[in-house]
Amino acid sequence: DVERSRGLGDVYKRQQIDLPITWDDTANVDYTVTNFGGDSSVVVVDPTNASNMVLSSTKSGTAQLWAGTTLSTPMGLATAIPFAAGSTSISVAVWSPDAGTVVRLKAEDHTDPTKSVETEVTTGAAATWDTLVFDFSNQVSGTAAINFTYTYDMLSIFYGFGTAGAGTAKTYYGDDVMLSLIHI
């Protein structure tokens, strides 16, 4: 393969992203993400802890209402999210510049985007880490309910969902994306 012979093939040696997502194993995990609608995300050093890596997501000043980031390539996660009755929550550590920011999380089948479920939480604090728990058994009104027969193997996060870019870019941070043992 030409790319490998040029030394550009490091991505081929890394594992496909999977839960839990900590952003800390850049040598072994392909943390490629897919941005859309005016979001721009990249793995960076945690602004509050230099020994931790996080995903920095900037919603541009001209972003769409639905701007967000898929936490993988279009191929999705390495394995399906093991949702089951009583185990429908995913937690995400979020740093938001503002309290009261709506954060939406969407799980879907990477081969069929019509098979999806969405839920959202509002941040409670500004400029500090806040662990948000997204309970997919409590889907957003007007969106599909969780279906345990579906294969959910892709996650997308939307900071400030429902709000278009307001002329000024806002940066959010995310870390520790994991299936939660907490069921709300």
Side-chain angles (χ1 to χ4, degrees):
D1 178 66
V2 174
E3 286 186 72
R4 286 188 183 135
S5 67
R6 291 184 188 155
L8 301 175
D10 288 344
V11 72
Y12 295 109
K13 298 176 190 173
R14 293 183 284 165
Q15 301 166 2
Q16 188 174 348
I17 197 169
D18 207 4
L19 292 178
I21 303 170
T22 64
W23 311 108
D24 292 321
D25 194 8
T26 57
N28 296 308
V29 178
D30 180 4
Y31 288 125
T32 299
V33 298
T34 307
N35 300 298
F36 49 89
D39 245 24
S40 177
S41 298
V42 63
V43 177
V44 299
V45 173
D46 180 338
T48 65
N49 177 355
S51 66
N52 187 41
M53 301 300 288
V54 298
L55 186 69
S56 170
S57 298
T58 301
K59 187 169 184 174
S60 74
T62 58
Q64 300 294 318
L65 299 169
W66 42 264
T69 300
T70 299
L71 305 180
S72 67
T73 68
M75 294 301 296
L77 303 169
T79 58
I81 302 164
F83 287 135
S87 182
T88 57
S89 296
I90 291 180
S91 64
V92 181
V94 170
W95 186 101
S96 171
D98 306 303
T101 299
V102 174
V103 182
R104 184 173 286 201
L105 197 60
K106 177 181 183 181
E108 67 185 278
D109 180 333
H110 88 277
T111 66
D112 184 351
T114 66
K115 295 179 177 178
S116 65
V117 59
E118 303 175 35
T119 190
E120 58 190 26
V121 178
T122 302
T123 59
T128 189
W129 285 101
D130 190 8
T131 299
L132 305 179
V133 178
F134 297 87
D135 182 3
F136 286 91
S137 69
N138 183 22
Q139 78 275 4
V140 173
S141 180
T143 66
I146 194 166
N147 183 327
F148 298 120
T149 67
Y150 290 173
T151 299
Y152 298 108
D153 60 357
M154 181 179 282
L155 279 175
S156 296
I157 194 162
F158 309 79
Y159 296 104
F161 188 85
T163 304
T168 304
K170 290 198 177 206
T171 299
Y172 305 86
Y173 299 94
D175 198 12
D176 300 329
V177 180
M178 57 189 64
L179 194 63
S180 179
L181 299 176
I182 302 167
H183 180 76
I184 301 174

